[in-house]
Amino acid sequence: HNELGEPEFLNLLAQRTGCQLLVDVNNIFVNALNDKLQGSMHDPLVVCKNWLDAIDPRDVAELHLAGHVDCGDIVIDDHGSRIVPAVWSLYRHALERFGAVPSLIEWDTDVPGLQVLLDEVTAAREHANRALDTGAA
């Protein structure tokens, strides 16, 4: 019987404490995918965009990106694979909403060679440039 949704709670928490928020884009997507596996009829991308849109941009200090693994009956944010296209899309949406905030790619399991990591960094920069060049931020 939650009286507040998670974004509303986080907005209130940031407002009352003066803290800033770390928004983990992949976690938001993984949560929406797991809700879908549990029977939610909502489109995970729409759910995530609505979640991001409900967060006060003034309170966002950092974005996190990562890969996840789909185990069939659950999706796990394992930080052990490339970032999927849907998360890149949400990252662009987040940047358009929150502006040029620092971003971190989390990869701490099944760590690949350096070139794969650099490819992800290049992709993050390209997505950020596209998002921020739209003039929305």
Side-chain angles (χ1 to χ4, degrees):
H1 302 297
N2 295 331
E3 293 183 26
L4 293 175
E6 185 177 48
E8 294 79 17
F9 172 77
L10 292 171
N11 287 335
L12 187 58
L13 178 71
Q15 176 190 0
R16 287 188 180 176
T17 65
C19 73
Q20 291 188 292
L21 303 174
L22 181 160
V23 174
D24 192 318
V25 178
N26 189 58
N27 275 354
I28 296 164
F29 187 61
V30 165
N31 290 343
L33 290 175
N34 282 323
D35 285 346
K36 183 89 172 161
L37 288 171
Q38 296 300 314
S40 171
M41 302 306 284
H42 302 289
D43 179 335
L45 282 175
V46 171
V47 168
C48 293
K49 287 180 179 179
N50 289 340
W51 193 100
L52 291 167
D53 290 346
I55 294 292
D56 188 333
R58 297 171 296 183
D59 297 326
V60 176
E62 188 171 335
L63 299 174
H64 279 197
L65 298 161
H68 57 267
V69 61
D70 186 339
C71 299
D73 60 341
I74 191 170
V75 180
I76 300 172
D77 179 23
D78 71 342
H79 303 175
S81 56
R82 287 185 180 267
I83 299 160
V84 300
V87 172
W88 285 125
S89 172
L90 292 170
Y91 177 58
R92 287 191 309 274
H93 185 84
L95 287 169
E96 289 167 1
R97 173 110 174 106
F98 306 131
V101 297
S103 300
L104 174 76
I105 298 172
E106 301 175 275
W107 200 320
D108 49 29
T109 63
D110 198 22
V111 179
L114 180 60
Q115 191 56 53
V116 173
L117 299 173
L118 293 174
D119 290 346
E120 292 291 89
V121 169
T122 298
R125 287 185 178 135
E126 290 170 355
H127 286 284
N129 288 338
R130 282 198 301 260
L132 298 172
D133 284 346
T134 64

